[in-house]
Amino acid sequence: MQLTDIMPLLQEGTVDTLRMVLISTALGYLVGLPLGVLLTITSKEGITPHPIMYRILDLIINITRSVPFLILLILIQPMTKLIVGKSYGTTATIVPLTVAASPLIARMVESSLKEVDRGVIEAAQSLGASHTTIVCKVLIPEARTSLLVGVTIALGTILGYSAMAGIIGGGGLGDIAIRYGYYRYETGVMIITVVILVLLMQILQWLGMLISGKVDRRRV
């Protein structure tokens, strides 16, 4: 297959991959950010310790994270089909990507929030700040640089997951690599898709670190 023949397909695959990654990451944060906050505040060092709730959330997140993504893809196919009407393609892949991203994000958010200086939290408590105020105006603002670095890590991880989804017709660059590069023995196509994926990873990481660096300098 000539490069001119595959270029439109690669362009479409790149757009589909970016759409999957960005939407899945956004949806993952809608779920993972609140979960991470709950894990932080209900831990024994949190502002409102609740051992039972923490253990339940911790168990659910650990179990979900322990399932390899390819197996997760297959396991939740019925749920994916129920939500989007089919279990293959770019839109369908967003569902398992979100499910895989949410616990990862929750754990990274928990780690970032626990880095906040305890003295700052105690100062807010001494002033009578509510739990909501402490979370929204102390924990998250103080941890914003670390949280932004976490976004970069999440984007890179989900990009890798999106490529794996190509094995079951998940769309995007991974699907192109499997269908043309592997099944049709088009080594050139495989190499090009790998190069594009590497470039996307580098661009996403560069943007994430640039933004987090600028935010960090504003704090100084």
Side-chain angles (χ1 to χ4, degrees):
M1 181 177 290
Q2 298 296 320
L3 182 60
T4 53
D5 297 329
I6 199 69
M7 278 304 296
L9 192 62
L10 289 171
Q11 291 173 356
E12 182 182 354
T14 302
V15 172
D16 286 344
T17 295
L18 285 172
R19 184 164 71 92
M20 284 190 292
V21 170
L22 295 176
I23 293 176
S24 300
T25 303
L27 293 175
Y29 267 91
L30 284 177
V31 178
L33 181 59
L35 279 177
V37 171
L38 279 174
L39 283 168
T40 304
I41 66 176
T42 57
S43 66
K44 63 180 180 179
E45 303 90 3
I47 58 177
T48 173
H50 197 300
I52 295 176
M53 180 179 289
Y54 180 84
R55 286 172 188 166
I56 291 172
L57 292 174
D58 186 62
L59 180 63
I60 292 172
I61 288 171
N62 285 339
I63 290 174
T64 308
R65 289 190 65 196
S66 298
V67 180
F69 181 66
L70 288 177
I71 296 176
L72 184 66
L73 271 172
I74 298 168
L75 281 176
I76 67 171
Q77 276 187 338
M79 183 179 77
T80 301
K81 191 171 183 179
L82 183 66
I83 294 173
V84 300
K86 58 182 180 179
S87 59
Y88 60 90
T90 304
T91 303
T93 304
I94 291 173
V95 176
L97 284 176
T98 302
V99 173
S102 297
L104 168 69
I105 290 168
R107 197 60 82 186
M108 289 194 299
V109 168
E110 179 192 17
S111 177
S112 295
L113 296 182
K114 284 186 174 180
E115 292 176 2
V116 176
D117 187 355
R118 184 69 188 175
V120 178
I121 300 172
E122 290 175 352
Q125 288 176 318
S126 68
L127 294 172
S130 66
H131 294 155
T132 302
T133 300
I134 292 174
V135 169
C136 296
K137 296 189 176 181
V138 178
L139 283 175
I140 293 177
E142 287 292 320
R144 61 186 176 183
T145 302
S146 180
L147 288 171
L148 285 170
V149 172
V151 173
T152 304
I153 296 171
L155 285 169
T157 303
I158 297 167
L159 178 62
Y161 287 165
S162 72
M164 292 185 213
I167 292 177
I168 62 167
L173 292 170
D175 189 34
I176 294 171
I178 295 297
R179 282 195 291 126
Y180 293 90
Y182 181 70
Y183 289 129
R184 300 187 185 182
Y185 302 102
E186 295 280 354
T187 306
V189 175
M190 178 73 78
I191 293 173
I192 292 171
T193 54
V194 170
V195 169
I196 295 173
L197 285 168
V198 171
L199 288 174
L200 287 177
M201 177 78 78
Q202 296 304 312
I203 291 169
L204 290 173
Q205 287 187 338
W206 176 75
L207 286 173
M209 298 309 294
L210 179 67
I211 294 170
S212 63
K214 287 186 176 182
V215 169
D216 193 38
R217 282 196 292 271
R218 287 173 187 167
R219 295 178 60 187
V220 178

